[in-house]
Amino acid sequence: MTKTVLQDVTHSCVCSQPCPPLLRVQPHNRPFVSSHSACVLTKHAYPLRSNTAVCCARATQSQTTLPQLDQEFQAWWQSADVKADALVPAEFADLRGMAAATAINSGDSIVTLPRTAALLVTPKMKCPFPELIDQAYWAKSQWFEKMALMLLHERQKGKSSVVSGYMEQLPAEFDTLLHWTSEELQLLMYPPLIQQVQQQKQSWHDHYKNVKAASTDNPVGEDDLVWALECVRSRAFSGPYSGPPVKDRAKLVLPFVLAALAYTQVAHLPLEQILNGAIAAVLFNIIYDTLLSRKLRWFAMCPVIDSMNHQSTSTNEVAYEYFGDRFSVTAERKYTRGEQVFITYGQQSNDKLLQYYGFVEPKNPADVFMVTNMLHALQDLPYLNISKERIQCVQQAGLLTSLEQVALTRQGMPAKALQAVRMLLASEQLHSQRSAADFAKQIDPLHEESCLQAVKDVCVSLGNQQSRNPARQSDNKVSRARQDLAKAFRQQKSRVLQTCSKTLDNQIRQARKA
């Protein structure tokens, strides 16, 4: 079975979210258990789970006793033909998630969700409630605005909504960074994320003004729209659009067959030849949808599936099965009864996890430390004296922009940024003998060591700043939960810098051996 892997919708748009990564086709690495082709979906931003760090825990017997809301949610998903007998809602150290209701083996189906039980935004989708929203606005609005309006429309329907059980278990409110004051955001001691949150606030306010202007009746309140946007941004999945359901495509078969039969009477060709051509046309139509038209994307809110928490190391995949016309999650390892079952939202840094989901993941392999101006950070080192002429040379070579936003990772510094540093710190003799392209790799061991050492010293300096206690806030202004969350975030950023420094140390030793 072939899977089209959709990765997280981590966009970098006006709302400071990452854009959906490109799809890649992978062969299925398990025994053939189904004839369905599957399109693997990616989490589209970050669901709010808790203001605590994510951890793996086991539900106790008392934790698996469901509150009334969870029982009603289970009753709804069963009535909606959602197959999730292997899961049960549970609490894990104040963290809501899904536990294994029974032992789960690798390869077992954890959840299957019919397409009709999901909220979908598809390419060129017409407005489902033209009496409420101006058509022109709908046509030009972004996918998450459309889905937020659809969510509010379903909420307004109440019990008559086909996803009423799902709607009732959505969070009533959020405590993401969007709701922190400017004073509270300073506790993060991390300007890149503070700036992203400020841009998000402005962007979402602009969305509200646009929606208000486009509303034809009963305009949406700003608080309601923000709630819906937070639900969507934290719970939606994205992937390549596979076209209409296969059952709709199947309706094309009969007209093709009838046309083929009629054509045999006119053209006097063998029936087998005509039918082969008709079947080929139908199959091409399906293959085009599933394999060729991948530039189009669709977005889905998948009840039950979006209740599972994130873990970077999880390999459980969310997929859309074209021939089954359903979304599914398959276990990639064994789970014991009561163990929390995870999915992955994709490779998300703690910046994005905290901004949109409301948590920090310890030892997150995708975490980064963003340096907003590496040139200034280098100039702040007391032993460096970078001339204006050299900066101009780097700028003329088109490398200076690579130092404006540098993502330091546990693996070190991006290659393009390191190339710019090599050119900045080269001696006059070395610089005069080399072109800008030559600095893409190590030129001289001593020069390489000095460049890596300078970057390491920047890491140490930033780490020292990160480890300082922020200005004390009065207890009545900042909740203990937010203080603890900000502290956890700062600690994880410090660890990224520490690991990056160790990587640079190893690279320095290798440079000396060269």
Side-chain angles (χ1 to χ4, degrees):
M1 179 164 67
T2 301
K3 285 192 175 182
T4 303
V5 178
L6 306 171
Q7 307 202 336
D8 185 336
V9 204
T10 310
H11 355 252
S12 194
C13 56
V14 290
C15 49
S16 67
Q17 283 241 118
C19 291
L22 294 177
L23 155 76
R24 63 184 185 277
V25 178
Q26 294 181 330
H28 205 289
N29 58 3
R30 294 191 300 270
F32 231 150
V33 294
S34 169
S35 61
H36 300 327
S37 67
C39 181
V40 180
L41 300 179
T42 298
K43 203 74 167 74
H44 196 113
Y46 322 82
L48 177 70
R49 302 301 184 196
S50 165
N51 282 334
T52 58
V54 173
C55 59
C56 182
R58 184 180 299 278
T60 64
Q61 189 63 38
S62 61
Q63 287 171 323
T64 57
T65 303
L66 301 181
Q68 182 66 28
L69 182 62
D70 287 340
Q71 293 178 13
E72 292 175 356
F73 182 37
Q74 278 192 302
W76 171 81
W77 86 48
Q78 290 167 1
S79 69
D81 200 28
V82 178
K83 307 299 183 185
D85 294 339
L87 295 177
V88 61
E91 297 283 336
F92 301 88
D94 298 325
L95 186 70
R96 282 181 58 79
M98 287 289 189
T102 184
I104 299 174
N105 293 317
S106 178
D108 285 355
S109 174
I110 301 175
V111 183
T112 60
L113 176 95
R115 178 174 173 151
T116 53
L119 287 177
L120 304 173
V121 171
T122 58
K124 299 181 180 179
M125 174 182 176
K126 294 182 179 180
C127 179
F129 29 79
E131 71 281 3
L132 301 177
I133 292 292
D134 179 68
Q135 289 289 329
Y137 166 76
W138 178 270
K140 67 181 181 181
S141 61
Q142 299 187 62
W143 73 268
F144 53 88
E145 296 175 84
K146 294 175 181 177
M147 187 167 280
L149 292 172
M150 291 172 62
L151 197 66
L152 290 172
H153 188 58
E154 294 300 325
R155 188 175 72 169
Q156 191 177 32
K157 292 179 182 179
K159 291 291 186 180
S160 65
S161 169
V162 294
V163 290
S164 60
Y166 173 61
M167 297 296 301
E168 290 172 358
Q169 63 84 46
L170 289 174
E173 59 184 17
F174 292 83
D175 191 26
T176 55
L177 297 182
L178 186 71
H179 305 283
W180 288 29
T181 65
S182 297
E183 183 182 43
E184 289 169 332
L185 288 174
Q186 295 305 316
L187 294 173
L188 300 173
M189 299 180 65
Y190 191 67
L193 182 52
I194 295 172
Q195 182 179 8
Q196 290 292 324
V197 174
Q198 291 169 343
Q199 291 176 356
Q200 180 193 2
K201 288 181 178 181
Q202 182 60 53
S203 174
W204 284 19
H205 180 65
D206 292 342
H207 291 321
Y208 165 69
K209 291 191 295 185
N210 293 336
V211 169
K212 183 179 179 181
S215 298
T216 56
D217 189 23
N218 296 325
V220 175
E222 185 166 9
D223 289 344
D224 288 334
L225 181 63
V226 168
W227 171 84
L229 286 169
E230 290 207 87
C231 285
V232 169
R233 279 303 201 182
S234 67
R235 307 183 84 88
F237 296 83
S238 168
Y241 183 52
S242 53
V246 69
K247 62 182 180 181
D248 292 347
R249 291 295 183 193
K251 295 176 182 177
L252 296 173
V253 174
L254 182 58
F256 268 108
V257 172
L258 293 176
L261 290 173
Y263 193 68
T264 60
Q265 302 300 317
V266 176
H268 305 292
L269 292 175
L271 177 60
E272 181 181 1
Q273 182 178 345
I274 297 295
L275 288 177
N276 284 340
I279 292 171
V282 173
L283 289 177
F284 175 80
N285 199 273
I286 294 175
I287 291 171
Y288 179 82
D289 279 338
T290 55
L291 296 179
L292 302 180
S293 62
R294 296 192 175 172
K295 292 183 179 180
L296 301 177
R297 300 186 73 81
W298 64 332
F299 304 87
M301 291 185 72
C302 299
V304 183
I305 293 175
D306 66 10
S307 294
M308 286 187 277
N309 285 319
H310 163 80
Q311 189 176 66
S312 292
T313 55
S314 173
T315 54
N316 295 337
E317 294 177 335
V318 183
Y320 173 67
E321 300 175 358
Y322 181 77
F323 291 102
D325 194 22
R326 63 188 183 184
F327 298 92
S328 65
V329 178
T330 302
E332 296 293 333
R333 68 170 180 86
K334 291 183 177 181
Y335 290 89
T336 57
R337 184 177 181 274
E339 184 179 357
Q340 183 169 188
V341 181
F342 293 96
I343 56 175
T344 177
Y345 303 164
Q347 296 299 304
Q348 307 291 348
S349 70
N350 276 326
D351 302 37
K352 295 300 180 185
L353 290 176
L354 180 56
Q355 182 178 358
Y356 291 99
Y357 284 114
F359 67 78
V360 173
E361 184 181 16
K363 300 179 181 178
N364 180 355
D367 205 7
V368 300
F369 192 102
M370 292 299 301
V371 183
T372 53
N373 194 322
M374 179 60 78
L375 175 60
H376 285 179
L378 291 168
Q379 289 175 320
D380 286 342
L381 296 176
Y383 59 84
L384 289 184
N385 184 16
I386 305 172
S387 67
K388 292 182 179 179
E389 292 75 18
R390 183 60 58 82
I391 294 173
Q392 289 176 349
C393 290
V394 175
Q395 185 175 24
Q396 290 170 359
L399 293 173
L400 197 60
T401 54
S402 66
L403 297 178
E404 292 175 359
Q405 294 284 339
V406 178
L408 297 176
T409 69
R410 289 176 167 84
Q411 290 72 45
M413 188 181 200
K416 203 72 173 178
L418 185 55
Q419 180 182 358
V421 172
R422 290 188 184 114
M423 192 171 179
L424 277 174
L425 304 187
S427 66
E428 288 298 329
Q429 181 180 0
L430 188 61
H431 181 260
S432 63
Q433 296 172 346
R434 302 285 181 167
S435 67
D438 292 335
F439 291 99
K441 58 183 179 180
Q442 177 176 328
I443 297 175
D444 174 80
L446 291 177
H447 170 251
E448 185 74 3
E449 180 182 344
S450 64
C451 293
L452 295 171
Q453 185 63 52
V455 176
K456 180 193 170 184
D457 290 343
V458 168
C459 285
V460 172
S461 176
L462 292 171
N464 290 337
Q465 296 174 28
Q466 204 69 22
S467 62
R468 294 173 191 159
N469 291 325
R472 292 182 60 85
Q473 310 288 340
S474 58
D475 293 338
N476 61 343
K477 289 185 178 181
V478 183
S479 70
R480 172 55 60 182
R482 290 183 178 181
Q483 291 184 50
D484 291 344
L485 189 55
K487 181 179 180 180
F489 177 80
R490 296 195 305 271
Q491 288 174 340
Q492 293 306 312
K493 291 301 173 184
S494 293
R495 286 171 184 169
V496 171
L497 291 171
Q498 290 168 6
T499 309
C500 183
S501 294
K502 291 179 181 178
T503 299
L504 291 166
D505 267 336
N506 291 333
Q507 293 174 351
I508 289 171
R509 284 192 288 270
Q510 292 172 6
R512 289 171 180 168
K513 294 178 182 178

